[in-house]
Amino acid sequence: MRLFDYERKHLEMLRKELAGCTVLLKTDGSFPLPKPGPIALYGSGARHTVKGGTGSGEVNSRFFVTAEEGLEAAGFMITSKGWLNGYDGIRRRAKNAFLKQVRADILRDVSAVAESMGKVMPEPEYDMPLSFYGETAVYVLARNSGEGSDRALVPGDILLTASEVRDILYLQEHAKRFLLALNVGGPVDLSPVKEQVGNILVLSQLGVETGAVLADILLGKANPSGKLTTTWAAAADYPSVGDFGGRDDTVYREGIYVGYRYFDSECVQPLFPFGWGLSYTDFAIGKHKTELDRETVTVTAAVKNTGSLPGRETLQLYVSKPEEKLDQAFRDLAAFAKTKELAPGEEESLRLCFKLSDIASYDSQRECWVLEKGDYFLRLTNGVTDPIITARVRLEEEVVTRRAKNVCGIPDFSDWRPKLETIDMFPPDVPILTADPAAIPQLPLAQPVPQEIDPLAGRMSVDKLISLNLGAYDPKGGIAAVIGDAGISVAGAAGETSAVSRDYGLPTLVMADGPAGLRLCRDYALRDGKPVGLDSRLPGGMNELLPKPIAWVLEFLGPSAALCAEVLHQYCTAIPIGTAVAQSWDLDFARLCGDIVGDEMERFNVDLWLAPALNIHRDIRCGRNFEYYSEDPLVSGLMASAVTQGVQAHPGRGTTVKHYAANNQECNRYNSNSHVSERAMREVYLRGFGICVRLAQPAAVMTSYNLLNGVHTSEHSGILNDILRGEFGFQGIVMTDWVISAMPGGENKYPPADAGRVAAAGGELFMPGSNADAESIRAAMQRRALKEDRLRRNVSSLLRTIRKLKQ
């Protein structure tokens, strides 16, 4: 296959790093293999390998390497072709039955169209013999999920099917060497097989080269060095404190106890904890030292490769905070660092740093960030060995690090707290470092910087202002307005700013979806000099879910390749899903992924990438978790920062971090109300956004669909102005997610977001835009809910961003 030079370069850059995104959960030493040979390959992911989830995270790459293709290209002889062929037939029949049911639901109730987006078939049960030739067997278990639909605690999704359990255990018993490879975007309950299986690899979903990387790992050409960024537990052990999946209201009663904070504080032992990850080689943590310079804590530790193969290791530094007035989780991640590739016997010194003010807790009663007095214990670990208590930082008086203002809303419940206090025996000889309260910054309440009205915006007519507060849309309506395929200048782009800017000599901004690479039409043609996409016009694989008459009509309205004189191509690189990027614990790799996307944005004339996505893995059932990084806000914020830096190193290219905020389920995502306390919002769900804004200053922020304590996030002045622009210092534009009147299905307790209210709250772009949205803004002005001055300031911010990116 002939590739363009940029494709080859990008794939080569990724290939050598991708094993760092995979996580070796268990190893018995029987891998890697000395050379390729006969191999028995089984499982749903063998041929139906998943490169990334469905929906906005889908990337129309030129090609994709499945597990079967990757092993054969590496020289393996697949001895289980008969099984794979048989499974194809079983899966095809199951898929046809699944699609028939989805289409029937839509025909009964057209509102089911919206809720069919992202629906994925659970893997079917099957019964086929497992006879094979050779000493090595691999079972690739695959799971898919997507935008618009959540995962479920059912066999074939979060749970293993009886067929999978049976065959995995059979292969473990009968094959001399057996590996269970997990081609998944999030946890599955491995409790039925965890103890028996000796080798388990989270292959994850790595984009174009997923199957090739599996071959590299089997042969030892690459060494897994990733670690989990989400806790893997038995299904019954995940917390049920807070709600999940409520159509109208979801209550976040668990407060700050999300992910490992819950498991630690309740002393629940997961299958594989947050931060866990093994290697083909072994590492030892050697001499370490902890220093305190004013408010900066630095732990320096030596890491040595004590095994027989080259590899990389990650150190994690946690803090256990004192409890005075505020309850605390048993530990919080404060810093992490990863070695270079170390040869056997080689050693490297790592530095892990954080500021005390960065680990402050939010006191909602006093409306401030505070470090309570007491001892802050530092725990250093590689995620597998017992932690080393390197020091305790003593603070002899409370310090208020920043004044704030409660703006998130008041839920009608109190946050849950663990029933039992966790007892931990600290060694008596732990060094004490005494912090000087005067050395810790104590900041006043931050105020959003008033946006000056740009001279150009100051002389525009109201009609022009309204147009620029909306995305570019066809005033005649049509299919593009229905599904949000609003690209004009670039085929398959998700949207564009209004062409009104061209009346004043300024270009528009073209936006492409993400976050696993650019989501553009692979095939397009020029019609009257304008690019027209030839791929399916339906997002997220909906073309196969819709009843055929509806799908035919929608596709018929688009152009046909047969009618085009010349078909052109846009081949984009599918990078790993967000969770896989985070599992690398490698900020340089995250920047590399951003750099690849930024380069392709330049090639295809895309200005804003609608990514990275950094919502928290609050619940493993969220169908969109694969796009997100972690259950931990520090990991999420630092990864999003690095990706943003990689993209924005390309002049004129910007990221759009999303979905701001408390977007943690797909069920009724347009109109679901998240009830969250002020403290949990600030410490868990907003913190990553703050880290990304302060470190990388993304060009844009996208609000989420959901409401927060009764107010749509896109209409929420408190989180947009007081927190995002004030406390975080955000300087770019705020846009909505694609609010399309035809998409929300069924009757809802809460009204949809309104363009007039969004503009009044300071949202600069209501996307993708429609005639109805323009009328909403006009109506808000007539009833004086939206001032003309606010509209001019919104447009001023947009104009400044256009000039910054297009200079």
Side-chain angles (χ1 to χ4, degrees), residues 352-366:
L352 296 87
C353 303
F354 70 93
K355 294 180 179 179
L356 291 175
S357 57
D358 290 338
I359 62 168
S361 302
Y362 190 75
D363 186 336
S364 57
Q365 288 190 359
R366 292 190 291 164

Side-chain angles (χ1 to χ4, degrees), residues 590-626:
R591 287 188 196 92
L592 171 66
C593 290
D595 178 44
I596 288 171
V597 173
D599 180 81
E600 294 184 1
M601 290 172 72
E602 288 185 285
R603 294 178 184 278
F604 301 123
N605 298 312
V606 173
D607 305 298
L608 285 175
W609 185 39
L610 303 182
L614 64 150
N615 293 106
I616 294 296
H617 292 177
R618 173 183 178 249
D619 191 296
I620 64 166
R621 289 172 288 181
C622 177
R624 217 165 171 178
N625 274 353
F626 69 94

Side-chain angles (χ1 to χ4, degrees), residues 19-174:
C21 302
T22 68
V23 184
L24 191 60
L25 297 180
K26 290 187 69 177
T27 177
D28 62 11
S30 56
F31 292 91
L33 302 172
K35 61 182 179 179
I39 191 167
L41 182 65
Y42 302 98
S44 56
R47 281 184 180 168
H48 304 279
T49 315
V50 182
K51 77 174 187 292
T54 69
S56 68
E58 220 168 322
V59 177
N60 299 317
S61 54
R62 181 195 289 263
F63 70 98
F64 164 60
V65 181
T66 67
E68 181 182 26
E69 292 167 344
L71 294 181
E72 289 184 325
F76 287 96
M77 180 181 71
I78 308 296
T79 64
S80 53
K81 292 285 189 177
W83 190 97
L84 295 175
N85 293 336
Y87 183 80
D88 280 350
I90 291 171
R91 194 175 192 277
R92 182 171 56 252
R93 290 188 291 273
K95 186 68 174 287
N96 289 338
F98 171 75
L99 294 176
K100 183 178 180 180
Q101 182 61 54
V102 173
R103 292 164 182 164
D105 292 341
I106 292 174
L107 288 174
R108 279 195 302 270
D109 182 2
V110 72
S111 67
V113 171
E115 296 180 5
S116 70
M117 182 177 179
K119 276 197 173 182
V120 174
M121 178 191 73
E123 292 299 325
E125 297 282 3
Y126 59 87
D127 190 10
M128 293 184 294
L130 282 179
S131 58
F132 62 88
Y133 167 73
E135 297 181 333
T136 303
V138 173
Y139 192 101
V140 184
L141 185 143
R143 294 292 188 265
N144 205 354
S145 62
E147 176 184 6
S149 186
D150 289 314
R151 300 178 67 198
L153 291 167
V154 298
D157 193 346
I158 292 174
L159 306 182
L160 303 183
T161 66
S163 308
E164 290 169 336
V165 173
R166 178 197 65 217
D167 288 356
I168 289 168
L169 294 180
Y170 178 91
L171 293 169
Q172 174 62 33
E173 181 180 356
H174 292 87

Side-chain angles (χ1 to χ4, degrees), residues 251-300:
V251 180
Y252 291 46
R253 277 189 196 87
E254 71 278 6
I256 64 169
Y257 296 95
V258 177
Y260 68 88
R261 293 170 174 83
Y262 168 83
F263 288 95
D264 289 348
S265 301
E266 280 289 274
C267 299
V268 175
Q269 183 64 42
L271 299 176
F272 300 101
F274 175 89
W276 177 273
L278 303 172
S279 171
Y280 282 155
T281 191
D282 297 310
F283 297 93
I285 303 175
K287 186 176 180 180
H288 55 84
K289 179 175 65 174
T290 305
E291 298 175 296
L292 175 64
D293 181 10
R294 297 184 64 79
E295 71 152 337
T296 300
V297 177
T298 302
V299 175
T300 306

